[in-house]
Amino acid sequence: MSFYITKPIKIALGEDVNISNAKIAKFLRLREKDIKSVRLHKQSIDARNKSDVHFVCSYVLESDKIPLNASPYSEPTDVLTSVQRQGIRKKCLVVGAGPAGLFCALYLCKVGISVTVIERGSDVDKRSQTVKKFFDGGEFDEKCNVQFGLGGAGTFSDGKLTTGISSPLTYTVFQQLFRSGAPQDILTSSLPHVGTDKLTTVVANLRDEIIENGGEFLFDRTVEDFLTEKCRIIGVKLDDGTTLYADFVALACGHSARNTFYKLADLGAEITFKPFAVGLRIEHPREFINTAQYGTIAVTHRDLPAASYKLVHNGATHSCYSFCMCPGGVVVAANSENGTVVVNGMSNYNRDAANSNSALVVNVTAEDVNEYGFGNDAFAGVRFQQYLEKQAYKLSDGNYRAPSQNVTDFLANRPTKSFDLSPSYPRGVTPVNLRNLLPQTISGTLAEGLYEFDRKIKGFGASGVLTAVESRTSAPVKILRNELFQSNIEGLFPIGEGAGYAGGIVSSAVDGLRVAQAIIRLGHSC
């Protein structure tokens, strides 16, 4: 028997996507008895023709006959289920418990390397309580928040699993997330997502599996310093005075661990500026986006999820694009420092909140931040982010309220007096003119983008609310590493989004696996 993957097959709304052997046999020009098994491989929505919205599916089948309309298929390798303990008597400290750190730690533990995961934030239950208290108007905690704690920043997001990378390790990431409690449809959806309500369970199960394989976690502990000897890292010093020694340190600190970036620079690690993007969150009613994407005929069909969009406008000097779109979600308070306001988006698995939101951001280069007056060194982007976040706090009169503005008022460059819809930001919003927050280059490009996006989604630029400031799209620095995945400081392995090598849950997890493989190879050789 051999495996094949079909060409795309149209499946009508209301029809079971798990089609019968008889139907797929007809499509493949085979007899039904020639097919041993069939399973759904990928499912997407085709809504280009609003009068004929339907699913497009591909399937993997097993047959001893060569079918038409299909090509040979080989199942990728799941490295976390095929790995064996190798008796490497080495110790690794993993700094950060986001996707990169968790997947790196899990792989290393399964091999038999001794692993300690150090996380400045709290374990997931305590973290969820702390975040909820802050959202409800309580005190802000700089060490435990939407950015820091078990699962990293992605835990309080849409849990989107789309990625632009093509590594075979993505298969392992999806399989492990499913084993850890993510919905089964992440394995087949063309736009997979988990949702915050399910991600908290997923990261807790990943934690438990790491512990079951010999790893340990130190929560509510911050790495204050790195210990080196002859240009090689030998351990870390924690904020409680504890010193931990190890053969390797995997640094998966996330894109908001600014004190860590500065400490590494003091140590002599090679760090450079990395381009990123900043902007605003835009909210529209979920039903408006659903109708715009699906049309009035299909919009209420029970088989269709909350609709998403992806928009890009390439201006003369800068680009504006949607980022981290959250259908049926809310705008959340995502700051990690006192006296600042940062926004991000979050959805639960069902995506059934009243509004849909997305970041609208503009690319920022080294030349831009230098022109804005923040210098031209590695940390110019960090300073620019901090400036915007502090200004957003001041513009909204403090207490972690967020500055907000109607889309129409932003385009007209006038302050907002009352809102077109109820903003979902949990700490409350203050009506302002957001043009007073952003540099002209950025606000002008956002305005251009909104006019362009209104042509693609009618009404997009003529309604909705904008909330500031979306500044944590990615790390503003890159911690350089060589072909062995090590920093210029031997034994230090920068990983994931915070190090500048990933963007999102899947690519961060993949980078964690790649670095784990590099550490294992090095462990064998020394």
Side-chain angles (χ1 to χ4, degrees):
M1 290 283 180
S2 299
F3 288 92
Y4 300 90
I5 185 168
T6 70
K7 291 182 178 180
I9 299 176
K10 177 180 176 179
I11 305 293
L13 297 181
E15 184 179 349
D16 189 353
V17 295
N18 295 303
I19 60 178
S20 66
N21 284 17
K23 181 169 182 175
I24 202 164
K26 182 178 180 180
F27 177 78
L28 299 172
R29 312 284 179 87
L30 294 176
R31 296 174 299 179
E32 186 175 348
K33 68 178 183 179
D34 293 331
I35 300 174
K36 182 178 180 182
S37 64
V38 177
R39 64 175 172 84
L40 178 65
H41 179 65
K42 286 296 175 187
Q43 176 182 343
S44 61
I45 299 169
D46 186 342
R48 290 172 296 179
N49 181 352
K50 299 298 185 287
S51 64
D52 183 26
V53 179
H54 58 271
F55 294 114
V56 176
C57 299
S58 62
Y59 299 85
V60 170
L61 69 141
E62 188 177 8
S63 176
D64 58 0
K65 302 291 185 179
I66 300 175
L68 296 175
N69 299 320
S71 56
Y73 175 80
S74 179
E75 193 86 333
T77 300
D78 184 341
V79 301
L80 287 175
T81 57
S82 60
V83 68
Q84 296 180 345
R85 297 186 79 82
Q86 299 174 23
I88 305 173
R89 297 184 178 277
K90 300 292 181 180
K91 182 172 180 59
C92 182
L93 303 176
V94 177
V95 181
L102 290 174
F103 274 79
C104 180
L106 181 57
Y107 200 159
L108 294 176
C109 285
K110 283 180 173 286
V111 169
I113 290 176
S114 176
V115 174
T116 299
V117 182
I118 307 163
E119 170 57 52
R120 75 172 70 196
S122 301
D123 206 344
V124 69
D125 288 341
K126 181 181 176 183
R127 183 188 184 194
S128 296
Q129 293 171 8
T130 301
V131 168
K132 184 180 185 305
K133 286 179 181 177
F134 177 58
F135 284 1
D136 290 343
E139 190 176 334
F140 174 68
D141 188 333
E142 277 198 308
K143 290 190 175 182
C144 182
N145 44 63
V146 165
Q147 301 294 344
F148 300 134
L150 181 63
T155 302
F156 295 93
S157 71
D158 181 60
K160 206 177 308 296
L161 302 179
T162 49
T163 180
I165 65 172
S166 58
S167 169
L169 291 172
T170 57
Y171 178 80
T172 297
V173 171
F174 277 87
Q175 293 296 321
Q176 181 61 47
L177 290 173
F178 171 59
R179 287 192 294 270
S180 297
Q184 187 171 9
D185 60 25
I186 68 166
L187 303 178
T188 55
S189 173
S190 63
L191 295 173
H193 88 112
V194 182
T196 286
D197 53 336
K198 295 186 181 296
L199 271 169
T200 52
T201 298
V202 170
V203 299
N205 289 336
L206 278 168
R207 173 205 62 204
D208 291 346
E209 188 170 351
I210 290 168
I211 293 172
E212 289 166 6
N213 281 274
E216 66 171 335
F217 282 81
L218 298 177
F219 290 107
D220 303 303
R221 307 282 184 85
T222 302
V223 171
E224 289 288 325
D225 205 355
F226 296 89
L227 308 177
T228 60
E229 187 177 273
K230 296 180 180 178
C231 296
R232 178 179 178 82
I233 198 156
I234 59 171
V236 301
K237 183 179 179 181
L238 305 182
D239 54 350
D240 63 357
T242 302
T243 299
L244 301 176
Y245 294 94
D247 301 285
F248 314 111
V249 173
L251 183 65
C253 59
H255 60 42
S256 296
R258 292 161 172 167
N259 66 313
T260 302
F261 300 152
Y262 284 111
K263 182 58 66 175
L264 286 171
D266 291 341
L267 199 65
E270 294 178 350
I271 302 177
T272 64
F273 173 93
K274 185 181 76 62
F276 56 105
V278 299
L280 309 168
R281 275 271 151 187
I282 188 167
E283 290 188 85
H284 293 94
R286 172 166 53 92
E287 292 307 316
F288 165 75
I289 298 298
N290 288 353
T291 302
Q293 296 299 81
Y294 296 144
T296 55
I297 298 175
V299 68
T300 58
H301 198 285
R302 59 181 173 79
D303 288 350
L304 291 172
S308 62
Y309 57 78
K310 187 175 182 180
L311 299 167
V312 180
H313 165 65
N314 294 315
T317 60
H318 289 74
S319 295
C320 172
Y321 58 93
S322 63
F323 175 80
C324 187
M325 200 266 158
C326 296
V330 295
V331 176
V332 298
N335 55 305
S336 60
E337 296 176 356
N338 285 313
T340 61
V341 169
V342 178
V343 296
N344 196 7
M346 184 180 85
S347 300
N348 285 331
Y349 175 70
N350 288 334
R351 289 174 162 174
D352 54 3
N355 296 343
S356 290
N357 70 79
S358 173
L360 290 186
V361 294
V362 175
N363 63 300
V364 176
T365 66
E367 292 76 15
D368 290 328
V369 291
N370 190 27
E371 182 181 326
Y372 301 152
F374 295 93
N376 58 5
D377 62 299
F379 298 105
V382 174
R383 292 191 292 273
F384 179 50
Q385 285 180 330
Q386 289 177 309
Y387 167 79
L388 290 177
E389 293 161 13
K390 290 176 182 177
Q391 289 299 111
Y393 183 85
K394 293 177 182 177
L395 193 60
S396 56
D397 299 323
N399 200 28
Y400 300 101
R401 294 174 64 85
S404 191
Q405 186 176 21
N406 288 329
V407 170
T408 51
D409 292 330
F410 180 82
L411 291 175
N413 195 13
R414 66 189 177 217
T416 286
K417 295 181 179 179
S418 61
F419 291 107
D420 293 342
L421 60 80
S422 180
S424 62
Y425 180 81
R427 299 279 305 200
V429 299
T430 301
V432 300
N433 187 350
L434 291 173
R435 299 266 191 157
N436 296 331
L437 172 66
L438 300 167
Q440 173 57 38
T441 303
I442 294 174
S443 61
T445 304
L446 284 170
E448 288 177 12
L450 284 165
Y451 283 121
E452 178 66 24
F453 300 156
D454 192 72
R455 286 193 282 270
K456 297 177 179 179
I457 299 177
K458 192 63 179 175
F460 190 91
S463 63
V465 168
L466 298 163
T467 306
V469 59
E470 178 89 24
S471 54
R472 307 287 182 91
T473 55
S474 66
V477 299
K478 175 175 277 192
I479 307 168
L480 300 184
R481 66 189 189 192
N482 59 24
E483 67 279 1
L484 301 176
F485 298 91
Q486 291 188 81
S487 162
N488 60 305
I489 300 172
E490 189 178 352
L492 177 65
F493 293 80
I495 314 178
E497 191 163 344
Y501 294 96
I505 293 172
V506 174
S507 59
S508 294
V510 165
D511 202 52
L513 293 174
R514 294 169 69 207
V515 170
Q517 291 175 330
I519 291 173
I520 292 165
R521 288 192 295 269
L522 188 59
H524 277 299
S525 65
C526 62

